[in-house]
Amino acid sequence: MNSIFKYFSFTAIICLANITLANIVTNKVVGSPYKDVRSNLIDAIEEKALNISKIYHASDMLDRTKDSISNAGKIYEQAEIIEFCSANISHQLVLANPLNISACPFKIALYSLVNNPEQTHIIYTKLSAIDKASEAPSSKANELVQSLVENAAW
C-alpha cells in the first residue's frame, strides 16, 4: 500500500510540474492593404527601438511546398511572421523564471487571403504567465505586442 501511495504521489507531482498553459491567439482584421499594415508594423517596432531579429516569409515557403505536401491551392496572398525582441522585457521575464526564455523572441504574424486580399489579418499569441513571478513581465510583454498591433492597424 505504501508503494502505491508513493507511485501516485510521484505521478501527481510530475503531472503538476508539466502543466502547459493554454495560449490565446488574437486576430485583428484590418481593412487596409497588406503592404500598408506591414509598413506600419515595422515602423511601430522600430520606433520603440526594438530589434527585429527575423522576418519569415511564410506565404513564400507554403507556396513552394504546397504541391509536395498537400496539393492544396494557394491560401495566402501574402503572409509573414515578424520576430522581434525587447531586451528589457526579456530580461524581466527570464529573471522571473528561466523557463520564460521560450517566450523570446516575440512574434506578430500578418497575412492577407487570396479570396479576400483587401483585408489584412494581424495575429499574435498572448503570453501566459507560467508562475506568479512571471505575471508582471508577461503582462508587459502582452501590452507591448498589443500596442504594436494597434499602431499597425490604424
Side-chain angles (χ1 to χ4, degrees), residues 1-17:
M1 181 82 156
N2 194 18
S3 62
I4 293 174
F5 177 77
K6 286 180 184 178
Y7 171 77
F8 283 116
S9 296
F10 178 75
T11 303
I13 290 169
I14 295 299
C15 289
L16 290 174

Side-chain angles (χ1 to χ4, degrees), residues 3-149:
S3 62
I4 293 174
F5 177 77
K6 286 180 184 178
Y7 171 77
F8 283 116
S9 296
F10 178 75
T11 303
I13 290 169
I14 295 299
C15 289
L16 290 174
N18 289 315
I19 292 174
T20 302
L21 298 174
N23 290 322
I24 300 170
V25 177
T26 301
N27 178 23
K28 182 163 187 75
V29 181
V30 182
S32 299
Y34 180 90
K35 66 179 174 69
D36 293 343
V37 176
R38 182 188 190 276
S39 178
N40 290 345
L41 180 58
I42 299 288
D43 288 348
I45 293 169
E46 291 176 347
E47 284 171 6
K48 292 192 182 285
L50 302 172
N51 178 45
I52 295 175
S53 55
K54 180 85 172 155
I55 299 177
Y56 290 99
H57 305 283
S59 57
D60 294 345
M61 183 277 299
L62 291 168
D63 288 344
R64 278 193 315 272
T65 59
K66 70 180 172 7
D67 292 335
S68 64
I69 304 296
S70 65
N71 204 20
K74 184 175 178 174
I75 296 169
Y76 300 107
E77 186 66 34
Q78 296 179 357
E80 294 177 301
I81 303 166
I82 300 173
E83 289 188 341
F84 59 95
C85 185
S86 163
N88 183 20
I89 295 173
S90 294
H91 277 279
Q92 291 176 41
L93 282 164
V94 298
L95 287 170
N97 188 323
L99 295 174
N100 284 323
I101 191 72
S102 66
C104 303
F106 308 129
K107 295 182 258 326
I108 299 175
L110 62 158
Y111 68 84
S112 61
L113 296 170
V114 169
N115 64 359
N116 196 0
E118 63 278 355
Q119 287 187 337
T120 303
H121 296 253
I122 308 171
I123 316 293
Y124 64 97
T125 303
K126 289 187 179 179
L127 184 59
S128 298
I130 60 174
D131 57 19
K132 187 80 171 154
S134 301
E135 288 177 0
S138 295
S139 180
K140 286 182 185 176
N142 289 331
E143 289 168 11
L144 170 66
V145 172
Q146 176 66 36
S147 73
L148 295 170
V149 168

